[in-house]
Amino acid sequence: MPPPALPTHGSRTALHRAVRLVALLNLAYFGVEFTVALSIGSVSLFADSIDFLEDASVNLLIFLALGWSPAARARVGMALAAILLVPALALLWALWRKLQLPVPPAPLPLSATGLGALVVNLACAWVLARFRHHAGSLTRAAFLSARNDAFANVAIVLAGGVTAWTGSVWPDVAVGLGIAAMNADAAREVWEAARGEHRQAQA
């Protein structure tokens, strides 16, 4: 089977615009979510904010790499798989801090910020959906990130409600761990796709 081809010139231009828009949206909401996470001491918002920064980086790399050869795109895809693990590592640090001082985050800012993140990620997933099979693992990485983040944001909103009801720190911690697990699975999928493209390009 031949390696995935680049989109046509017109489609490639549209893809460039799409990933640039998604990168800017992710970078902007990273600032919002990171600020709120620090102010209320939320593990899940901290992990998700780092995820927004990671998504901005992924889409920037896609923007730069679209004109490269299939083999080079496959190598970038494997690098993106490693980038997808960054939120999991950041979560370990945030979780350690939370366990040292197990105070639950304020429920209303937690849910409201999670809802805003959901809106941003749904918009990004919608923008990227029609390009997810273009350029192999690159756009697949971006689409998987936006899709997974939307599920995570629903969980953050629900965690705010459960925190308000129970006064417990654990709903926020559990959602943070779930975000890390989803990103690890996305990293595995992107790595496998990129490895397949690399073998096809060498053949």
mmCIF file of all heavy atoms in Angstrom, residues 100-139:
data_model
loop_
_atom_site.group_PDB
_atom_site.id
_atom_site.type_symbol
_atom_site.label_atom_id
_atom_site.label_comp_id
_atom_site.label_asym_id
_atom_site.label_seq_id
_atom_site.Cartn_x
_atom_site.Cartn_y
_atom_site.Cartn_z
ATOM 1 N N GLN A 100 -0.020 16.637 48.777
ATOM 2 C CA GLN A 100 0.596 17.313 49.913
ATOM 3 C C GLN A 100 -0.371 18.258 50.615
ATOM 4 O O GLN A 100 -0.279 18.472 51.825
ATOM 5 C CB GLN A 100 1.834 18.103 49.438
ATOM 6 C CG GLN A 100 2.912 17.264 48.789
ATOM 7 C CD GLN A 100 3.391 16.140 49.672
ATOM 8 O OE1 GLN A 100 3.856 16.365 50.779
ATOM 9 N NE2 GLN A 100 3.278 14.912 49.178
ATOM 10 N N LEU A 101 -1.306 18.812 49.858
ATOM 11 C CA LEU A 101 -2.303 19.730 50.415
ATOM 12 C C LEU A 101 -3.662 19.401 49.781
ATOM 13 O O LEU A 101 -4.094 20.041 48.825
ATOM 14 C CB LEU A 101 -1.912 21.186 50.111
ATOM 15 C CG LEU A 101 -2.774 22.272 50.755
ATOM 16 C CD1 LEU A 101 -2.675 22.199 52.274
ATOM 17 C CD2 LEU A 101 -2.361 23.646 50.251
ATOM 18 N N PRO A 102 -4.361 18.379 50.318
ATOM 19 C CA PRO A 102 -5.593 17.860 49.678
ATOM 20 C C PRO A 102 -6.829 18.729 49.915
ATOM 21 O O PRO A 102 -7.767 18.348 50.614
ATOM 22 C CB PRO A 102 -5.738 16.483 50.322
ATOM 23 C CG PRO A 102 -5.113 16.631 51.671
ATOM 24 C CD PRO A 102 -3.966 17.595 51.503
ATOM 25 N N VAL A 103 -6.801 19.918 49.319
ATOM 26 C CA VAL A 103 -7.942 20.833 49.401
ATOM 27 C C VAL A 103 -8.686 20.789 48.071
ATOM 28 O O VAL A 103 -8.069 20.966 47.013
ATOM 29 C CB VAL A 103 -7.473 22.273 49.705
ATOM 30 C CG1 VAL A 103 -8.658 23.231 49.718
ATOM 31 C CG2 VAL A 103 -6.712 22.309 51.019
ATOM 32 N N PRO A 104 -10.007 20.545 48.078
ATOM 33 C CA PRO A 104 -10.740 20.472 46.803
ATOM 34 C C PRO A 104 -10.789 21.827 46.108
ATOM 35 O O PRO A 104 -10.828 22.872 46.776
ATOM 36 C CB PRO A 104 -12.143 20.020 47.224
ATOM 37 C CG PRO A 104 -12.261 20.424 48.651
ATOM 38 C CD PRO A 104 -10.885 20.293 49.235
ATOM 39 N N PRO A 105 -10.777 21.829 44.767
ATOM 40 C CA PRO A 105 -10.880 23.101 44.033
ATOM 41 C C PRO A 105 -12.288 23.679 44.130
ATOM 42 O O PRO A 105 -13.245 22.956 44.427
ATOM 43 C CB PRO A 105 -10.561 22.695 42.592
ATOM 44 C CG PRO A 105 -10.975 21.265 42.517
ATOM 45 C CD PRO A 105 -10.693 20.671 43.873
ATOM 46 N N ALA A 106 -12.400 24.976 43.891
ATOM 47 C CA ALA A 106 -13.715 25.630 43.894
ATOM 48 C C ALA A 106 -14.561 25.049 42.762
ATOM 49 O O ALA A 106 -14.145 25.075 41.605
ATOM 50 C CB ALA A 106 -13.551 27.132 43.720
ATOM 51 N N PRO A 107 -15.754 24.505 43.071
ATOM 52 C CA PRO A 107 -16.543 23.780 42.057
ATOM 53 C C PRO A 107 -16.998 24.626 40.877
ATOM 54 O O PRO A 107 -16.938 24.171 39.727
ATOM 55 C CB PRO A 107 -17.740 23.255 42.849
ATOM 56 C CG PRO A 107 -17.314 23.272 44.278
ATOM 57 C CD PRO A 107 -16.375 24.421 44.408
ATOM 58 N N LEU A 108 -17.473 25.859 41.129
ATOM 59 C CA LEU A 108 -18.029 26.665 40.033
ATOM 60 C C LEU A 108 -16.978 27.052 39.002
ATOM 61 O O LEU A 108 -17.185 26.841 37.799
ATOM 62 C CB LEU A 108 -18.728 27.907 40.598
ATOM 63 C CG LEU A 108 -19.437 28.779 39.561
ATOM 64 C CD1 LEU A 108 -20.477 27.976 38.778
ATOM 65 C CD2 LEU A 108 -20.087 29.993 40.243
ATOM 66 N N PRO A 109 -15.818 27.607 39.410
ATOM 67 C CA PRO A 109 -14.792 27.881 38.399
ATOM 68 C C PRO A 109 -14.310 26.625 37.686
ATOM 69 O O PRO A 109 -13.985 26.678 36.495
ATOM 70 C CB PRO A 109 -13.657 28.522 39.212
ATOM 71 C CG PRO A 109 -14.302 29.046 40.441
ATOM 72 C CD PRO A 109 -15.427 28.109 40.743
ATOM 73 N N LEU A 110 -14.277 25.492 38.406
ATOM 74 C CA LEU A 110 -13.851 24.234 37.795
ATOM 75 C C LEU A 110 -14.786 23.847 36.656
ATOM 76 O O LEU A 110 -14.342 23.576 35.531
ATOM 77 C CB LEU A 110 -13.823 23.130 38.856
ATOM 78 C CG LEU A 110 -13.465 21.714 38.376
ATOM 79 C CD1 LEU A 110 -12.072 21.676 37.763
ATOM 80 C CD2 LEU A 110 -13.569 20.729 39.542
ATOM 81 N N SER A 111 -16.090 23.840 36.933
ATOM 82 C CA SER A 111 -17.059 23.450 35.900
ATOM 83 C C SER A 111 -17.134 24.477 34.775
ATOM 84 O O SER A 111 -17.219 24.117 33.596
ATOM 85 C CB SER A 111 -18.447 23.260 36.520
ATOM 86 O OG SER A 111 -18.494 22.099 37.307
ATOM 87 N N ALA A 112 -17.107 25.766 35.128
ATOM 88 C CA ALA A 112 -17.223 26.817 34.111
ATOM 89 C C ALA A 112 -16.029 26.790 33.161
ATOM 90 O O ALA A 112 -16.187 26.921 31.936
ATOM 91 C CB ALA A 112 -17.343 28.181 34.783
ATOM 92 N N THR A 113 -14.840 26.598 33.708
ATOM 93 C CA THR A 113 -13.644 26.545 32.864
ATOM 94 C C THR A 113 -13.646 25.286 32.007
ATOM 95 O O THR A 113 -13.245 25.308 30.840
ATOM 96 C CB THR A 113 -12.377 26.597 33.729
ATOM 97 O OG1 THR A 113 -12.453 27.729 34.604
ATOM 98 C CG2 THR A 113 -11.132 26.714 32.859
ATOM 99 N N GLY A 114 -14.100 24.168 32.591
ATOM 100 C CA GLY A 114 -14.229 22.940 31.812
ATOM 101 C C GLY A 114 -15.221 23.082 30.675
ATOM 102 O O GLY A 114 -15.013 22.551 29.578
ATOM 103 N N LEU A 115 -16.316 23.809 30.925
ATOM 104 C CA LEU A 115 -17.314 24.036 29.871
ATOM 105 C C LEU A 115 -16.739 24.888 28.745
ATOM 106 O O LEU A 115 -16.958 24.608 27.558
ATOM 107 C CB LEU A 115 -18.549 24.711 30.469
ATOM 108 C CG LEU A 115 -19.742 24.903 29.537
ATOM 109 C CD1 LEU A 115 -20.252 23.551 29.014
ATOM 110 C CD2 LEU A 115 -20.874 25.643 30.263
ATOM 111 N N GLY A 116 -15.978 25.910 29.101
ATOM 112 C CA GLY A 116 -15.322 26.722 28.073
ATOM 113 C C GLY A 116 -14.345 25.901 27.246
ATOM 114 O O GLY A 116 -14.276 26.045 26.020
ATOM 115 N N ALA A 117 -13.602 25.023 27.932
ATOM 116 C CA ALA A 117 -12.664 24.148 27.222
ATOM 117 C C ALA A 117 -13.405 23.210 26.277
ATOM 118 O O ALA A 117 -12.921 22.916 25.167
ATOM 119 C CB ALA A 117 -11.837 23.344 28.227
ATOM 120 N N LEU A 118 -14.568 22.725 26.702
ATOM 121 C CA LEU A 118 -15.372 21.848 25.846
ATOM 122 C C LEU A 118 -15.777 22.564 24.561
ATOM 123 O O LEU A 118 -15.693 21.992 23.467
ATOM 124 C CB LEU A 118 -16.606 21.374 26.607
ATOM 125 C CG LEU A 118 -17.615 20.537 25.824
ATOM 126 C CD1 LEU A 118 -16.983 19.239 25.336
ATOM 127 C CD2 LEU A 118 -18.853 20.246 26.691
ATOM 128 N N VAL A 119 -16.202 23.804 24.677
ATOM 129 C CA VAL A 119 -16.607 24.578 23.497
ATOM 130 C C VAL A 119 -15.429 24.735 22.541
ATOM 131 O O VAL A 119 -15.561 24.540 21.319
ATOM 132 C CB VAL A 119 -17.157 25.953 23.920
ATOM 133 C CG1 VAL A 119 -17.380 26.843 22.697
ATOM 134 C CG2 VAL A 119 -18.456 25.797 24.703
ATOM 135 N N VAL A 120 -14.256 25.065 23.085
ATOM 136 C CA VAL A 120 -13.063 25.248 22.242
ATOM 137 C C VAL A 120 -12.693 23.947 21.546
ATOM 138 O O VAL A 120 -12.413 23.923 20.337
ATOM 139 C CB VAL A 120 -11.882 25.776 23.081
ATOM 140 C CG1 VAL A 120 -10.594 25.781 22.253
ATOM 141 C CG2 VAL A 120 -12.173 27.174 23.595
ATOM 142 N N ASN A 121 -12.684 22.843 22.294
ATOM 143 C CA ASN A 121 -12.267 21.573 21.702
ATOM 144 C C ASN A 121 -13.270 21.026 20.694
ATOM 145 O O ASN A 121 -12.882 20.411 19.696
ATOM 146 C CB ASN A 121 -12.008 20.544 22.804
ATOM 147 C CG ASN A 121 -10.646 20.717 23.434
ATOM 148 O OD1 ASN A 121 -9.641 20.829 22.739
ATOM 149 N ND2 ASN A 121 -10.605 20.765 24.752
ATOM 150 N N LEU A 122 -14.557 21.230 20.937
ATOM 151 C CA LEU A 122 -15.546 20.822 19.936
ATOM 152 C C LEU A 122 -15.370 21.610 18.648
ATOM 153 O O LEU A 122 -15.492 21.060 17.551
ATOM 154 C CB LEU A 122 -16.966 20.997 20.488
ATOM 155 C CG LEU A 122 -17.415 19.984 21.541
ATOM 156 C CD1 LEU A 122 -18.811 20.347 22.062
ATOM 157 C CD2 LEU A 122 -17.421 18.567 20.972
ATOM 158 N N ALA A 123 -15.083 22.903 18.786
ATOM 159 C CA ALA A 123 -14.838 23.725 17.599
ATOM 160 C C ALA A 123 -13.601 23.227 16.852
ATOM 161 O O ALA A 123 -13.608 23.115 15.614
ATOM 162 C CB ALA A 123 -14.663 25.188 18.001
ATOM 163 N N CYS A 124 -12.542 22.891 17.591
ATOM 164 C CA CYS A 124 -11.317 22.396 16.957
ATOM 165 C C CYS A 124 -11.556 21.053 16.280
ATOM 166 O O CYS A 124 -11.080 20.817 15.158
ATOM 167 C CB CYS A 124 -10.206 22.273 17.993
ATOM 168 S SG CYS A 124 -9.606 23.855 18.630
ATOM 169 N N ALA A 125 -12.276 20.143 16.962
ATOM 170 C CA ALA A 125 -12.561 18.832 16.376
ATOM 171 C C ALA A 125 -13.381 18.985 15.103
ATOM 172 O O ALA A 125 -13.163 18.274 14.116
ATOM 173 C CB ALA A 125 -13.297 17.947 17.385
ATOM 174 N N TRP A 126 -14.329 19.909 15.110
ATOM 175 C CA TRP A 126 -15.170 20.142 13.934
ATOM 176 C C TRP A 126 -14.327 20.679 12.767
ATOM 177 O O TRP A 126 -14.474 20.232 11.626
ATOM 178 C CB TRP A 126 -16.271 21.134 14.278
ATOM 179 C CG TRP A 126 -17.188 21.426 13.137
ATOM 180 C CD1 TRP A 126 -18.208 20.650 12.669
ATOM 181 C CD2 TRP A 126 -17.159 22.594 12.293
ATOM 182 N NE1 TRP A 126 -18.810 21.253 11.582
ATOM 183 C CE2 TRP A 126 -18.194 22.438 11.335
ATOM 184 C CE3 TRP A 126 -16.369 23.745 12.273
ATOM 185 C CZ2 TRP A 126 -18.438 23.403 10.365
ATOM 186 C CZ3 TRP A 126 -16.612 24.704 11.301
ATOM 187 C CH2 TRP A 126 -17.634 24.514 10.358
ATOM 188 N N VAL A 127 -13.417 21.608 13.060
ATOM 189 C CA VAL A 127 -12.540 22.168 12.024
ATOM 190 C C VAL A 127 -11.650 21.082 11.418
ATOM 191 O O VAL A 127 -11.421 21.038 10.202
ATOM 192 C CB VAL A 127 -11.680 23.310 12.612
ATOM 193 C CG1 VAL A 127 -10.577 23.715 11.640
ATOM 194 C CG2 VAL A 127 -12.548 24.522 12.941
ATOM 195 N N LEU A 128 -11.148 20.160 12.268
ATOM 196 C CA LEU A 128 -10.180 19.159 11.812
ATOM 197 C C LEU A 128 -10.808 17.881 11.274
ATOM 198 O O LEU A 128 -10.111 17.086 10.635
ATOM 199 C CB LEU A 128 -9.251 18.787 12.977
ATOM 200 C CG LEU A 128 -8.317 19.892 13.467
ATOM 201 C CD1 LEU A 128 -7.653 19.477 14.775
ATOM 202 C CD2 LEU A 128 -7.274 20.228 12.418
ATOM 203 N N ALA A 129 -12.094 17.670 11.511
ATOM 204 C CA ALA A 129 -12.715 16.376 11.195
ATOM 205 C C ALA A 129 -12.551 16.000 9.718
ATOM 206 O O ALA A 129 -12.239 14.851 9.394
ATOM 207 C CB ALA A 129 -14.192 16.393 11.582
ATOM 208 N N ARG A 130 -12.722 16.935 8.818
ATOM 209 C CA ARG A 130 -12.661 16.585 7.399
ATOM 210 C C ARG A 130 -11.239 16.380 6.891
ATOM 211 O O ARG A 130 -11.033 15.923 5.772
ATOM 212 C CB ARG A 130 -13.385 17.631 6.543
ATOM 213 C CG ARG A 130 -12.705 18.976 6.423
ATOM 214 C CD ARG A 130 -13.643 19.969 5.755
ATOM 215 N NE ARG A 130 -13.068 21.282 5.562
ATOM 216 C CZ ARG A 130 -12.562 21.712 4.418
ATOM 217 N NH1 ARG A 130 -12.520 20.909 3.371
ATOM 218 N NH2 ARG A 130 -12.087 22.940 4.316
ATOM 219 N N PHE A 131 -10.248 16.711 7.734
ATOM 220 C CA PHE A 131 -8.846 16.543 7.330
ATOM 221 C C PHE A 131 -8.169 15.378 8.043
ATOM 222 O O PHE A 131 -6.976 15.162 7.847
ATOM 223 C CB PHE A 131 -8.049 17.814 7.650
ATOM 224 C CG PHE A 131 -8.537 19.041 6.934
ATOM 225 C CD1 PHE A 131 -9.184 20.049 7.628
ATOM 226 C CD2 PHE A 131 -8.352 19.193 5.574
ATOM 227 C CE1 PHE A 131 -9.632 21.186 6.980
ATOM 228 C CE2 PHE A 131 -8.788 20.323 4.907
ATOM 229 C CZ PHE A 131 -9.438 21.325 5.612
ATOM 230 N N ARG A 132 -8.890 14.619 8.868
ATOM 231 C CA ARG A 132 -8.218 13.664 9.755
ATOM 232 C C ARG A 132 -7.539 12.515 9.016
ATOM 233 O O ARG A 132 -6.713 11.821 9.602
ATOM 234 C CB ARG A 132 -9.185 13.106 10.805
ATOM 235 C CG ARG A 132 -10.332 12.271 10.252
ATOM 236 C CD ARG A 132 -11.259 11.890 11.407
ATOM 237 N NE ARG A 132 -12.367 11.060 10.985
ATOM 238 C CZ ARG A 132 -13.503 11.511 10.476
ATOM 239 N NH1 ARG A 132 -13.656 12.814 10.304
ATOM 240 N NH2 ARG A 132 -14.469 10.694 10.138
ATOM 241 N N HIS A 133 -7.886 12.288 7.723
ATOM 242 C CA HIS A 133 -7.227 11.229 6.962
ATOM 243 C C HIS A 133 -6.172 11.773 6.003
ATOM 244 O O HIS A 133 -5.588 11.025 5.237
ATOM 245 C CB HIS A 133 -8.257 10.412 6.179
ATOM 246 C CG HIS A 133 -9.252 9.734 7.074
ATOM 247 N ND1 HIS A 133 -8.881 8.861 8.070
ATOM 248 C CD2 HIS A 133 -10.608 9.826 7.131
ATOM 249 C CE1 HIS A 133 -9.963 8.424 8.696
ATOM 250 N NE2 HIS A 133 -11.009 8.999 8.155
ATOM 251 N N HIS A 134 -5.935 13.088 6.051
ATOM 252 C CA HIS A 134 -4.933 13.700 5.183
ATOM 253 C C HIS A 134 -3.570 13.669 5.874
ATOM 254 O O HIS A 134 -3.465 13.846 7.078
ATOM 255 C CB HIS A 134 -5.289 15.163 4.891
ATOM 256 C CG HIS A 134 -6.474 15.298 3.984
ATOM 257 N ND1 HIS A 134 -6.955 16.522 3.594
ATOM 258 C CD2 HIS A 134 -7.283 14.381 3.407
ATOM 259 C CE1 HIS A 134 -8.017 16.342 2.801
ATOM 260 N NE2 HIS A 134 -8.223 15.060 2.683
ATOM 261 N N ALA A 135 -2.519 13.464 5.081
ATOM 262 C CA ALA A 135 -1.132 13.526 5.563
ATOM 263 C C ALA A 135 -0.879 12.565 6.720
ATOM 264 O O ALA A 135 -0.063 12.813 7.582
ATOM 265 C CB ALA A 135 -0.772 14.957 5.978
ATOM 266 N N GLY A 136 -1.591 11.458 6.734
ATOM 267 C CA GLY A 136 -1.309 10.376 7.671
ATOM 268 C C GLY A 136 -1.419 10.755 9.129
ATOM 269 O O GLY A 136 -2.389 11.349 9.556
ATOM 270 N N SER A 137 -0.381 10.420 9.883
ATOM 271 C CA SER A 137 -0.440 10.535 11.339
ATOM 272 C C SER A 137 -0.460 11.980 11.815
ATOM 273 O O SER A 137 -0.850 12.243 12.955
ATOM 274 C CB SER A 137 0.762 9.833 11.963
ATOM 275 O OG SER A 137 1.963 10.423 11.528
ATOM 276 N N LEU A 138 -0.058 12.935 10.987
ATOM 277 C CA LEU A 138 -0.001 14.315 11.451
ATOM 278 C C LEU A 138 -1.376 14.853 11.820
ATOM 279 O O LEU A 138 -1.619 15.264 12.949
ATOM 280 C CB LEU A 138 0.637 15.206 10.376
ATOM 281 C CG LEU A 138 2.087 14.892 10.021
ATOM 282 C CD1 LEU A 138 2.588 15.882 8.988
ATOM 283 C CD2 LEU A 138 2.953 14.932 11.261
ATOM 284 N N THR A 139 -2.285 14.870 10.851
ATOM 285 C CA THR A 139 -3.612 15.386 11.155
ATOM 286 C C THR A 139 -4.398 14.427 12.040
ATOM 287 O O THR A 139 -5.291 14.846 12.767
ATOM 288 C CB THR A 139 -4.396 15.670 9.860
ATOM 289 O OG1 THR A 139 -4.251 14.567 8.973
ATOM 290 C CG2 THR A 139 -3.871 16.917 9.193
#
